[in-house]
Amino acid sequence: MGSLMQVIFDALSLGSLYALAALGIALIFGVMRLVNFAHGDVIAFAVFALLWPSVDAVAIVFAGNLPWFLLIPFVLAIGAGLSVLSEIVVFRRFRRANPATMMIASFALGFVIRYFLLMLFSSRPKSIALLPALSQPVEILGARIPLLQLITIIVTIVVLFGLTAFLRRTRFGLEMRAAAENFTMARMLGVRANRVIMGAFALSGVLAAAIALILGSQTGTANIMMGANVMLMAFIATVIGGMGSLAGAVLAGFLLGAVATVMQVGLPPEARAFRDAFVYGAVILVLIFRPQGLLSARGTKERV
């Protein structure tokens, strides 16, 4: 029983990371039809924000001296601010461009962020001492799991319910859903495009920063490539869930986490190094039999 619960908690924890990242990508795609490949670099940037006191150029920001209840909103604000800035400086210029052009622009932006971090911090991983008490194990239903893993699952559930309520019960959320359904019609009905798009980027940045806090606490390191693997799995989850479907992205993120965890446990020891290859093979099978995704977005269906 304890072993089964351990696998379940591991799957939920990993799936939570993928779901949060996929949700950040799906938010932007729903409004702008943009696959933002710079999302992983926003995650890395938010992690490195914890190291800013060691950099002379930005030493005026004493993030490392902040207590945790101020440090967390600080990092969330960094993620939101960087995402909004990228929209204003880069993506706003490409709103009338085709999706391929915007996708290439997101690749370029990701490399700019990555090499900016490389210039400041070098390529060596940096140590982070972020709430080490969260690594203490707790026992639940016979399974011993780190406290951080439990917090990750709880935070993800709270974020999902909060975002659902925001999209369904607030005026801004309704405008965002309308823009995702039909952006041109929403603008004709009075929805302010800049406000909605900037809101979507801000939410996406907050989700990226939340992932950064979780990864920083789990690994205890900051690496300029640490958001790349999460971004790849999140993009796959977005495709499997149905491009533009927020619920589908979340569902696929948890499914990918479950599949990866089960394969890590079930595969023979000599085959575990190739776990990701088996996961991607399962993804190919899903797309062969359901190319539109698990939950296709309503806005993508043809209307007669």
Side-chain angles (χ1 to χ4, degrees):
M1 180 64 179
S3 299
L4 176 61
M5 294 306 301
Q6 185 71 56
V7 172
I8 292 175
F9 279 115
D10 288 345
L12 287 175
S13 178
L14 184 59
S16 295
L17 278 179
Y18 295 158
L20 288 175
L23 188 57
I25 295 173
L27 277 170
I28 303 302
F29 183 84
V31 174
M32 291 190 66
R33 295 299 182 263
L34 163 67
V35 179
N36 185 14
F37 282 100
H39 193 69
D41 297 287
V42 175
I43 294 173
F45 189 92
V47 175
F48 275 94
L50 299 169
L51 299 173
W52 282 7
S54 63
V55 183
D56 293 338
V58 286
I60 57 173
V61 183
F62 295 98
N65 296 327
L66 292 176
W68 68 268
F69 54 85
L70 294 179
L71 182 60
I72 291 175
F74 169 77
V75 175
L76 296 179
I78 290 295
L82 179 61
S83 292
V84 171
L85 183 64
S86 68
E87 192 281 321
I88 294 173
V89 175
V90 179
F91 295 118
R92 188 169 295 186
R93 274 68 179 170
F94 295 99
R95 285 186 188 174
R96 298 184 182 276
N98 60 60
T101 301
M102 290 197 294
M103 184 178 67
I104 293 172
S106 74
F107 270 115
L109 176 62
F111 277 104
V112 169
I113 296 173
R114 189 177 308 169
Y115 281 98
F116 177 75
L117 294 176
L118 185 64
M119 178 181 66
L120 292 180
F121 299 101
S122 79
S123 60
R124 293 183 179 180
K126 302 295 187 295
S127 177
I128 297 177
L130 181 61
L131 299 176
L134 295 180
S135 61
Q136 297 298 320
V138 295
E139 187 167 340
I140 300 178
L141 300 176
R144 290 178 61 83
I145 63 173
L147 180 59
L148 177 63
Q149 197 174 72
L150 181 61
I151 292 176
T152 300
I153 297 170
I154 294 174
V155 166
T156 301
I157 294 173
V158 170
V159 167
L160 294 179
F161 276 103
L163 186 59
T164 300
F166 171 77
L167 292 174
R168 292 183 178 274
R169 300 184 180 277
T170 66
R171 177 181 177 83
F172 187 80
L174 292 174
E175 289 180 351
M176 192 174 293
R177 291 171 59 201
E181 184 79 17
N182 190 320
F183 190 77
T184 302
M185 182 61 69
R187 291 189 65 180
M188 293 176 63
L189 294 175
V191 173
R192 288 172 287 183
N194 287 343
R195 181 169 176 260
V196 169
I197 292 175
M198 288 179 64
F201 271 91
L203 286 174
S204 178
V206 168
L207 292 172
I211 296 170
L213 287 168
I214 294 170
L215 287 177
S217 300
Q218 284 181 343
T219 63
T221 60
N223 190 314
I224 61 174
M225 296 299 296
M226 69 189 310
N229 184 58
V230 175
M231 169 64 203
L232 177 60
M233 298 300 287
F235 173 66
I236 293 172
T238 305
V239 174
I240 294 177
M243 296 298 287
S245 172
L246 300 182
V250 172
L251 174 62
F254 278 108
L255 286 177
L256 279 178
V259 171
T261 302
V262 170
M263 285 188 175
Q264 183 67 28
V265 174
L267 288 175
E270 60 273 11
R272 289 175 185 172
F274 307 100
R275 181 197 67 178
D276 288 350
F278 290 101
V279 173
Y280 297 144
V283 168
I284 292 173
L285 290 177
V286 171
L287 294 178
I288 288 175
F289 293 101
R290 193 170 177 82
Q292 74 273 28
L294 300 176
L295 299 175
S296 56
R298 288 176 296 177
T300 61
K301 292 182 180 179
E302 183 179 359
R303 288 179 172 83
V304 179

mmCIF file of all heavy atoms in Angstrom, residues 12 50 54 78 104 143 219 281:
data_model
loop_
_atom_site.group_PDB
_atom_site.id
_atom_site.type_symbol
_atom_site.label_atom_id
_atom_site.label_comp_id
_atom_site.label_asym_id
_atom_site.label_seq_id
_atom_site.Cartn_x
_atom_site.Cartn_y
_atom_site.Cartn_z
ATOM 1 N N LEU A 12 1.575 12.614 -9.134
ATOM 2 C CA LEU A 12 0.856 13.876 -8.968
ATOM 3 C C LEU A 12 1.822 15.058 -8.899
ATOM 4 O O LEU A 12 1.546 16.130 -9.450
ATOM 5 C CB LEU A 12 0.000 13.827 -7.702
ATOM 6 C CG LEU A 12 -1.246 12.949 -7.758
ATOM 7 C CD1 LEU A 12 -1.924 12.895 -6.388
ATOM 8 C CD2 LEU A 12 -2.228 13.479 -8.807
ATOM 9 N N LEU A 50 16.646 34.793 -7.858
ATOM 10 C CA LEU A 50 17.033 34.555 -6.467
ATOM 11 C C LEU A 50 18.509 34.843 -6.228
ATOM 12 O O LEU A 50 18.937 34.979 -5.077
ATOM 13 C CB LEU A 50 16.735 33.098 -6.092
ATOM 14 C CG LEU A 50 15.267 32.679 -6.186
ATOM 15 C CD1 LEU A 50 15.138 31.170 -6.053
ATOM 16 C CD2 LEU A 50 14.443 33.366 -5.112
ATOM 17 N N SER A 54 24.134 38.711 -5.987
ATOM 18 C CA SER A 54 25.544 38.428 -6.285
ATOM 19 C C SER A 54 26.017 39.099 -7.557
ATOM 20 O O SER A 54 27.167 38.962 -7.942
ATOM 21 C CB SER A 54 25.759 36.914 -6.418
ATOM 22 O OG SER A 54 25.009 36.410 -7.513
ATOM 23 N N ILE A 78 8.486 38.993 -10.800
ATOM 24 C CA ILE A 78 9.541 38.962 -11.817
ATOM 25 C C ILE A 78 9.071 38.184 -13.041
ATOM 26 O O ILE A 78 9.244 38.610 -14.188
ATOM 27 C CB ILE A 78 10.822 38.344 -11.240
ATOM 28 C CG1 ILE A 78 11.460 39.284 -10.214
ATOM 29 C CG2 ILE A 78 11.824 38.016 -12.347
ATOM 30 C CD1 ILE A 78 11.954 40.584 -10.798
ATOM 31 N N ILE A 104 8.973 31.650 -34.455
ATOM 32 C CA ILE A 104 10.404 31.924 -34.613
ATOM 33 C C ILE A 104 10.827 33.069 -33.695
ATOM 34 O O ILE A 104 11.907 33.046 -33.092
ATOM 35 C CB ILE A 104 10.719 32.231 -36.087
ATOM 36 C CG1 ILE A 104 10.512 30.974 -36.937
ATOM 37 C CG2 ILE A 104 12.152 32.747 -36.238
ATOM 38 C CD1 ILE A 104 10.619 31.217 -38.420
ATOM 39 N N ALA A 143 3.171 6.307 2.949
ATOM 40 C CA ALA A 143 4.195 6.785 2.018
ATOM 41 C C ALA A 143 4.933 7.954 2.649
ATOM 42 O O ALA A 143 4.321 8.843 3.236
ATOM 43 C CB ALA A 143 3.563 7.220 0.695
ATOM 44 N N THR A 219 15.676 21.091 -6.486
ATOM 45 C CA THR A 219 17.037 20.777 -6.917
ATOM 46 C C THR A 219 18.107 21.499 -6.101
ATOM 47 O O THR A 219 19.240 21.027 -6.015
ATOM 48 C CB THR A 219 17.220 21.140 -8.397
ATOM 49 O OG1 THR A 219 17.053 22.564 -8.560
ATOM 50 C CG2 THR A 219 16.200 20.420 -9.262
ATOM 51 N N GLY A 281 7.058 7.759 -27.276
ATOM 52 C CA GLY A 281 6.374 6.751 -28.093
ATOM 53 C C GLY A 281 4.897 6.672 -27.758
ATOM 54 O O GLY A 281 4.044 6.548 -28.654
#
